[in-house]
């Protein structure tokens, strides 16, 4: 039997655009994802988040499910366009009231609310003004963070600024696979910096809060020990992991990453004091881990999320894959956690997302095995001395999986999108047992 310390936090996560629906209700303004979904060919099957899992109306039922599972915490995101429909100016009280109702319902059920302030749904008006590549968006984000914090600070202790800025910056501005769908490598680097700056400014705008940021990190290994393959792994580790970790935790961009990117940007957009702001003290780091990466020297073709990685190719590690095509490797998670503890020892860690897409509807043995392997990997990391404080499964509910639409199901709870009926999958019952025993 593997058990975790008392106090280890067990939760599940979702995000606003992926589950809420109600995109035109209570004054919500349009977001970049509404616009992106409306453009033909951007999302599989023409799916949109307009209705999603209808959580905006069904949150009491969803919180009842969380209670049945015994969740200690629920990680959700606040939709910026519900709170500031145009991304700036006066708050929309009806939007704030929704999150207050949700938070109160969670607290009434002894579930800690863990809001994330930005999970990709930028108000469209801010995109029209230039979006994350513009510095002003970071200032607007801090203003928005302050509004939400003031509204909920009496009820919420743990705040996450951003979810996966890598995706916002690079999928949104380099490959164009995510909203706003741009393919401008230099703008992607400016977006990454302004997301980081927004994080630092927001952390400062929330006095007294326990603040963290969630990064999607991975364990990168080279296909061989040849010098060029090792260099490819260094590059991808730089562009996926260290480009965010180092500014936040060490107050500097890694020099090798700046060198790799010198032909794309001179980083002239970084102003004096920015790195000091970005490295504002934080209380925890959220780690989202799904899959490892195996890379070697090669010639990439087409727009890459790894801006500046022209000499890198991704290889097949020969492991089994989830239905979205991601290789399954729990060892990659324990290796990643041990590495984070080695390189950034002071910061407490939470797994803020980990989970798997599988087609099997309700009897989801594949998902159970995935989660079991990764929870064991967490236990291994803790035994190795890593300060890991909690684990959030992705996701509580089946939901809108971005450019894959509804075809990929990550939920512990099945959603019938015709009827909005919720049904616990086998993995949900299994996870409830893990929470009860605080272990396996
Ligand atoms: O669904 C996403 C989530 O929004 C961010 N992290 C990865 C998940 C699975 O792709």
């Amino acid at each position: 039997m593997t058990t975790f310390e008392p106090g280890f936090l067990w939760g599940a996560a979702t995000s606003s655009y992926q589950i809420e629906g109600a995109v035109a209700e209570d004054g919500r303004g349009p977001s970049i994802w509404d616009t992106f979904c409306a453009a033909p060919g951007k999302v599989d099957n023409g799916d949109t988040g307009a209705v999603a899992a209808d959580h905006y109306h069904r949150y009491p039922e969803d919180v009842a499910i969380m209670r049945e599972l015994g969740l200690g915490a629920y990680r959700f995101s606040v939709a910026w366009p519900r709170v500031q429909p145009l991304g700036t100016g006066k708050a929309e009280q009806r939007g704030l009231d929704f999150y207050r109702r949700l938070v109160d319902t969670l607290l009434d059920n002894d579930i800690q609310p863990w809001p994330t302030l930005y999970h990709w749904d930028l108000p469209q008006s801010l995109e029209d003004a230039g979006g994350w590549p513009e510095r002003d968006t970071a200032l607007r984000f801090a203003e928005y963070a302050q509004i939400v914090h003031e509204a909920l600070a009496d009820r919420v202790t743990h705040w996450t600024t951003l979810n996966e800025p890598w995706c916002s910056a690079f999928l949104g501005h380099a490959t164009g696979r995510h909203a706003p769908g741009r393919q401008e490598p230099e703008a992607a680097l400016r977006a990454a910096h302004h997301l980081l700056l927004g994080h630092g400014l927001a952390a400062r705008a929330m006095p007294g809060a326990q603040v963290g940021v969630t990064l999607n990190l991975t364990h990168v290994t080279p296909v061989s020990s040849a010098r060029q393959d090792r260099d490819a792994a260094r590059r991808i580790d730089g562009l996926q992991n260290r480009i965010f970790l180092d500014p936040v935790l060490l107050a500097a961009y890694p020099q090798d990453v700046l060198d790799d990117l010198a032909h794309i940007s001179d980083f002239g957009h970084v102003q004096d004091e920015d790195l000091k702001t970005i490295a504002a003290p934080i209380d925890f780091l959220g780690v989202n881990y799904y899959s490892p990466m195996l890379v070697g020297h090669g010639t990439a073709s087409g727009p890459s999320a790894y801006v500046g990685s022209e000499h890198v190719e991704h290889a097949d590690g020969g492991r089994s894959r989830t239905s979205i095509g991601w290789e399954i490797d729990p060892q990659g998670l324990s290796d990643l956690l041990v590495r984070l503890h080695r390189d950034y020892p002071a910061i407490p860690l939470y797994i803020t997302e980990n989970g798997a897409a599988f087609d099997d509807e309700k009897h989801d043995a594949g998902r159970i095995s995935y989660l079991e392997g990764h929870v064991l990997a967490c236990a291994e990391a803790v035994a190795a001395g890593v300060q890991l404080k909690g684990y959030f499964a992705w996701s509580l509910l089946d939901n809108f999986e971005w450019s894959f639409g509804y075809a990929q199901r990550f939920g512990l709870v099945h959603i019938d999108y015709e009827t909005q009926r919720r049904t616990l999958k086998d993995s949900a019952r299994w996870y409830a047992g893990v929470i009860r025993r605080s272990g396996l």
Side-chain angles (χ1 to χ4, degrees), residues 15 18 119-120 163-164 288 290 324 326 353 394 399-402 410:
S15 89
Q18 293 181 272
H119 197 127
W120 311 350
N163 180 71
E164 302 184 356
N288 290 359
Y290 289 88
I324 205 168
W326 300 346
E353 286 182 27
W394 182 270
N399 59 51
F400 175 75
E401 179 52 27
W402 308 111
F410 275 89

Side-chain angles (χ1 to χ4, degrees), residues 4-12 72-73 75 112 114 158 214 283-289 333 337 347-354 374-375 377-379 381-382 386-393 431 434-435 438:
F4 290 75
E5 291 284 303
F8 188 87
L9 192 61
W10 296 98
R75 175 176 179 256
Q112 271 187 46
W114 270 57
H158 288 74
T214 279
D283 302 286
F284 61 92
L285 175 70
V287 177
N288 290 359
Y289 172 88
L333 175 57
L337 291 171
I347 189 82
L349 306 175
Y350 287 86
I351 302 298
T352 38
E353 286 182 27
N354 174 243
H374 288 78
V375 168
C378 290
V382 171
V386 174
Q387 274 194 83
L388 182 68
K389 305 278 188 197
Y391 175 95
F392 290 77
Y431 191 47
V434 171
I435 297 172
S438 195

Side-chain angles (χ1 to χ4, degrees), residues 9-304:
L9 192 61
W10 296 98
T14 63
S15 89
S16 48
Y17 191 72
Q18 293 181 272
I19 63 164
E20 284 180 2
V23 290
E25 271 181 59
D26 290 341
R28 178 187 178 279
S31 80
I32 54 173
W33 272 95
D34 299 295
T35 310
F36 190 74
C37 291
K42 297 291 188 193
V43 176
D44 292 354
N45 194 39
D47 289 343
T48 80
V51 177
D54 195 29
H55 173 78
Y56 193 75
H57 301 113
R58 294 169 196 262
Y59 74 89
E61 182 183 350
D62 294 338
V63 175
I65 290 173
M66 296 177 213
R67 187 185 175 106
E68 188 180 340
L69 299 185
L71 296 190
Y74 172 52
R75 175 176 179 256
F76 59 97
S77 77
V78 176
W80 188 348
R82 282 198 195 285
V83 172
Q84 286 182 301
L86 300 178
T88 181
K90 194 171 167 299
E92 168 53 76
Q93 193 55 46
R94 291 171 295 175
L96 287 173
D97 286 346
F98 167 68
Y99 294 106
R100 187 183 292 264
R101 289 196 298 277
L102 172 62
V103 162
D104 284 347
T105 311
L106 290 166
L107 291 172
D108 288 346
N109 286 280
D110 293 324
I111 301 166
Q112 271 187 46
W114 270 57
T116 296
L117 288 164
Y118 186 71
H119 197 127
W120 311 350
D121 37 5
L122 185 73
Q124 180 60 40
S125 312
L126 292 184
E127 176 60 23
D128 296 342
W132 285 111
E134 292 302 317
R135 189 176 180 89
D136 187 59
T137 304
L139 310 185
R140 300 284 70 77
F141 179 64
E143 178 186 276
Y144 152 71
Q146 186 173 0
I147 291 172
V148 183
H149 181 248
E150 274 170 11
L152 298 176
D154 57 340
R155 297 154 157 86
V156 171
T157 55
H158 288 74
W159 294 81
T160 300
T161 53
L162 307 174
N163 180 71
E164 302 184 356
W166 181 89
C167 295
S168 308
F170 296 112
L171 299 183
H173 300 82
T175 65
R177 279 284 285 168
H178 277 192
R182 292 161 68 170
Q183 294 188 347
E184 303 162 32
E186 196 268 338
L189 295 174
R190 278 188 284 125
H193 181 70
H194 295 137
L195 282 150
L196 284 168
L197 183 63
H199 153 76
L201 292 169
R204 211 190 260 164
M206 300 191 286
Q210 297 272 310
V211 179
V213 60
T214 279
L215 304 178
N216 51 318
L217 302 172
T218 189
H219 181 65
V220 188
T221 44
V223 284
S224 85
S225 59
R227 190 187 58 76
Q228 284 186 318
D229 291 333
R230 281 189 285 117
D231 194 58
R234 176 198 60 74
R235 274 175 179 262
I236 297 301
D237 180 58
L239 290 165
Q240 174 80 48
N241 299 325
R242 289 179 292 118
I243 195 171
F244 294 102
L245 286 166
D246 284 18
V248 170
L249 298 170
L250 305 177
Y253 279 109
Q255 189 56 49
D256 63 312
V257 173
L258 296 180
D259 294 344
D260 289 345
L261 295 170
H263 61 298
I264 295 170
S265 169
D266 62 3
F267 280 67
H269 50 270
V270 179
Q271 296 187 6
D272 292 350
E273 305 287 309
D274 279 5
L275 282 151
K276 205 166 141 207
T277 305
I278 291 168
I282 54 170
D283 302 286
F284 61 92
L285 175 70
V287 177
N288 290 359
Y289 172 88
Y290 289 88
S291 192
M293 253 181 227
L294 183 64
V295 298
H297 179 74
T299 315
S301 57
S304 169

